[in-house]
Amino acid sequence: MLAIMLGIALVAGAAYVFLSRPLAPEVGYVTLDGEATSTQRLRGKVVYVVFWATSCATCIKEMPDLVKTYERYAPRGFELIAVAMAYDPPEYVANYTRKHGLPFKVVLDKDGSIAAAFGGVNLTPTAVLIDKRGTILSRFVGEPDFASLHAAIERELAS
């Protein structure tokens, strides 16, 4: 009887954790390239949304690893959106993006509404990993452990 109750408790706990994960907010945005789109259009893909600034040393340090991550997983249905914070001058973001050939979508959060929709992001870098159904799986503040991030991306792409 105790084993059955323990089993039920484990299943209920796992269901609670799975079902209590928040959905990513549905926000529209325009990329630096002028593409108007939304997070809703990314359903069916594994998505990493990173909030960054050109004045953030950690953001700049992690950018080459983000490029490698994107190039490694994009062919399998992975998307990366780099959201520049509202205080970052648009010309700095455009210059950095162009100079470093960022291959993923870069967005200017001109009024802070995207950061607000994702829970009031104030610190950079802050990122979220979103599954194919639009559920936020993980939130990262600071540079992520890229080995763990890659393992999570691999799991989600395989599901």
Side-chain angles (χ1 to χ4, degrees), residues 51-66:
F51 292 86
W52 70 293
T54 58
S55 60
C56 165
T58 304
C59 300
I60 300 307
K61 177 185 175 289
E62 78 174 1
M63 204 56 77
D65 289 320
L66 291 176

Side-chain angles (χ1 to χ4, degrees), residues 7-123:
I8 291 171
L10 286 173
V11 169
Y16 173 77
V17 168
F18 179 75
L19 295 174
S20 67
R21 288 186 173 158
L23 287 176
E26 293 183 9
V27 295
Y29 55 88
V30 178
T31 67
L32 282 184
D33 296 333
E35 177 189 354
T37 190
S38 70
T39 53
Q40 186 174 7
R41 288 188 176 171
L42 296 171
R43 295 282 165 92
K45 293 186 174 205
V46 176
V47 181
Y48 189 76
V49 178
V50 61
F51 292 86
W52 70 293
T54 58
S55 60
C56 165
T58 304
C59 300
I60 300 307
K61 177 185 175 289
E62 78 174 1
M63 204 56 77
D65 289 320
L66 291 176
V67 169
K68 289 176 191 169
T69 298
Y70 176 78
E71 289 173 343
R72 179 176 177 180
Y73 296 112
R76 294 176 48 203
F78 175 73
E79 190 65 62
L80 194 150
I81 310 295
V83 181
M85 298 296 284
Y87 58 80
D88 208 357
E91 63 274 10
Y92 289 16
V93 176
N95 288 339
Y96 184 90
T97 300
R98 187 175 41 258
K99 181 179 179 184
H100 296 279
L102 299 184
F104 39 77
K105 292 175 176 37
V106 177
V107 176
L108 297 172
D109 189 6
K110 294 178 184 176
D111 61 2
S113 61
I114 302 171
F118 275 87
V121 174
N122 292 312
L123 301 173

Side-chain angles (χ1 to χ4, degrees), residues 124-148:
T124 57
T126 294
V128 294
L129 181 63
I130 304 167
D131 71 12
K132 295 174 186 176
R133 295 171 305 281
T135 304
I136 295 176
L137 299 173
S138 304
R139 185 177 178 101
F140 306 87
V141 177
E143 185 175 5
D145 171 357
F146 278 93
S148 295

